[in-house]
Amino acid sequence: MSADAPPASLRLRIDHEALANNWRTLDRMSGTASAGAAIKADCYGLGIDNCLPTLRDAGARHFFAAHWGEVAAALNHVPAQSIAVLHGPMTREDASFARETGAVPVINSLEQAQRWVDSGGGRCHLMVDTGINRLGIAPSQVGDAAIQSLSVDVLMSHLASADEDSDRNAQQLAAFRSAAQHIEHGSLSLANSAGVALGNGFAFNLTRPGLSLYGGIARPELADAIKQVAYPEAAIIQTRALKAGDRVGYNGEFIAITDMLVGVVSIGYADGFLRCWGNVEGSKGSHFLRCESQLALLGKVSMDMVVVDLSNCPNLREGDWLSVPYSLPYAAQQSGLSQYELLTILGHRFR
Ligand SMILES: *Cc1c(COP(=O)(O)O)cnc(C)c1O
């Protein structure tokens, strides 16, 4: 007999209103272009079932997955024709899967173009590489017969340095404009989240924000407009009274200098709370929050738990919930991780 699992001691609160607002903000900042939504990596770790309905209801109509394996979950919420798969058809099976489901391949190479045409062709998107040297055909390849035989809906490229004030942004913009003159297409798309903040010249017909939908501040211009979406919270599993001289955690890196009360909290590196948050040098000031009180992290982060100083909240008990400060720019600064990493490393044990 299988029993339902009791509620988890770790939860992720998603602010759906903030997520919808972030999409609307990015859509507005895209000017006459519409904002789509990058939904790869399970909506940047926040859960496709949590996020995709909200993005759809806010008005998003173009969704970008990376893997074909991400299509099925998206199909529960949005029509296949609205789902683009960025990695493109790497195999014949990928092309057949696209054909069966109706999800739209992004063609990234002459080989992918030929594979798509051989499988029967039809509507696709095309990625042109204008300088990131990741995926996409070279601008010099747009005249190739396999490329010219495609029915390209969205012609796209991807910016390498949109989060910086770099000359490369204008160079990529010019290369994209020029490539667009040599291939028929339905619409044009260049900007990710940071690209949206570069201004309307970069927006074309369709923008592809990801990070900033989910609360990341891709450029300083977005700081006031974009709201935090993900709020991790963890329960106290146990409280303990330490004596002066007691050590905490693996390798005993924290040593109590006085008697003190501590709490063992149900979040660890398996949940994406990596060791770089640990207070090893005593200098980083990583902490948890309970109401307005800061509870300092003590010693190393374990796989399933961390230990915090309860001196500021001595009445806390087993089962009480603490918040993990997760404003992404702040958390990135505290942990040394990128805002992208902070979202996508969140584990699977959150309720
Ligand atoms: C991930 C990705 C995006 C979204 O980028 P953000 O920086 O998260 O806004 C857009 N386009 C492509 C091709 C991507 O791979």
Side-chain angles (χ1 to χ4, degrees):
M1 215 187 85
S2 73
D4 286 340
S9 52
L10 187 57
R11 64 193 182 197
L12 185 63
R13 185 162 65 76
I14 303 287
D15 184 337
H16 291 274
E17 195 48 40
L19 177 59
N21 273 326
N22 289 346
W23 183 82
R24 284 192 283 263
T25 296
L26 291 157
D27 187 58
R28 192 169 352 98
M29 290 181 73
S30 300
T32 55
S34 335
I39 58 165
K40 58 197 183 185
D42 204 23
C43 286
Y44 287 47
L46 300 191
I48 198 160
D49 293 334
N50 297 325
C51 298
L52 188 47
T54 303
L55 293 166
R56 175 201 61 205
D57 294 347
R61 293 294 175 265
H62 287 84
F63 304 98
F64 297 90
H67 287 244
W68 293 99
E70 295 173 332
V71 169
L75 279 175
N76 292 327
H77 307 290
V78 296
Q81 319 81 266
S82 68
I83 306 168
V85 179
L86 291 163
H87 284 192
M90 295 163 60
T91 60
R92 293 226 309 271
E93 289 87 336
D94 290 347
S96 326
F97 182 81
R99 205 155 286 295
E100 275 164 40
T101 56
V104 186
V106 177
I107 303 298
N108 292 296
S109 65
L110 300 186
E111 291 76 11
Q112 288 195 351
Q114 197 59 57
R115 194 172 292 126
W116 181 240
V117 171
D118 289 347
S119 80
R123 176 174 175 250
C124 64
H125 305 317
L126 177 64
M127 176 70 78
V128 183
D129 187 278
T130 53
I132 194 170
N133 279 305
R134 223 173 50 167
L135 288 178
I137 61 166
S140 61
Q141 295 176 318
V142 288
D144 187 277
I147 299 298
Q148 290 292 328
S149 68
L150 297 172
S151 312
V152 178
D153 181 359
V154 182
L155 178 67
M156 60 181 92
S157 190
H158 192 53
L159 295 167
S161 305
D163 57 342
E164 299 175 80
D165 292 324
S166 160
D167 293 343
R168 291 189 295 277
N169 294 322
Q171 287 160 12
Q172 286 197 261
L173 178 65
F176 184 54
R177 280 189 194 289
S178 142
Q181 288 170 4
H182 301 290
I183 176 100
E184 272 186 50
H185 55 265
S187 61
L188 294 171
S189 176
L190 177 63
N192 59 351
S193 303
V196 170
L198 290 177
N200 286 344
F202 287 82
F204 293 95
N205 310 111
L206 174 66
T207 58
R208 306 187 306 271
L211 181 71
S212 292
L213 294 172
Y214 308 110
I217 308 300
R219 281 186 64 94
E221 295 89 334
L222 296 167
D224 292 335
I226 295 297
K227 303 291 176 235
Q228 183 174 345
V229 172
Y231 292 84
E233 296 169 347
I236 295 175
I237 311 167
Q238 193 177 52
T239 60
R240 330 179 56 81
L242 301 186
K243 295 272 176 245
D246 283 351
R247 289 168 176 266
V248 170
Y250 286 118
N251 312 112
E253 283 180 2
F254 175 81
I255 306 169
I257 50 172
T258 58
D259 293 0
M260 66 188 291
L261 192 65
V262 302
V264 183
V265 183
S266 177
I267 188 170
Y269 56 75
D271 306 302
F273 195 87
L274 302 190
R275 279 206 166 166
C276 50
W277 285 84
N279 211 4
V280 177
E281 303 300 326
S283 60
K284 276 179 137 185
S286 291
H287 61 269
F288 284 61
L289 288 173
R290 170 73 182 203
C291 304
E292 299 293 286
S293 302
Q294 296 193 354
L295 310 175
L297 193 57
L298 308 175
K300 277 186 177 168
V301 175
S302 297
M303 186 183 295
D304 315 305
M305 61 196 109
V306 293
V307 176
V308 298
D309 182 353
L310 294 185
S311 306
N312 290 340
C313 287
N315 298 325
L316 287 178
R317 294 287 170 267
E318 173 188 328
D320 287 341
W321 289 86
L322 307 181
S323 307
V324 184
Y326 225 69
S327 142
L328 290 172
Y330 166 84
Q333 193 195 349
Q334 286 291 301
S335 64
L337 298 168
S338 77
Q339 297 179 57
Y340 295 85
E341 290 168 305
L342 280 163
L343 288 171
T344 55
I345 57 177
L346 289 171
H348 298 287
R349 299 195 291 196
F350 289 89
R351 168 155 58 98

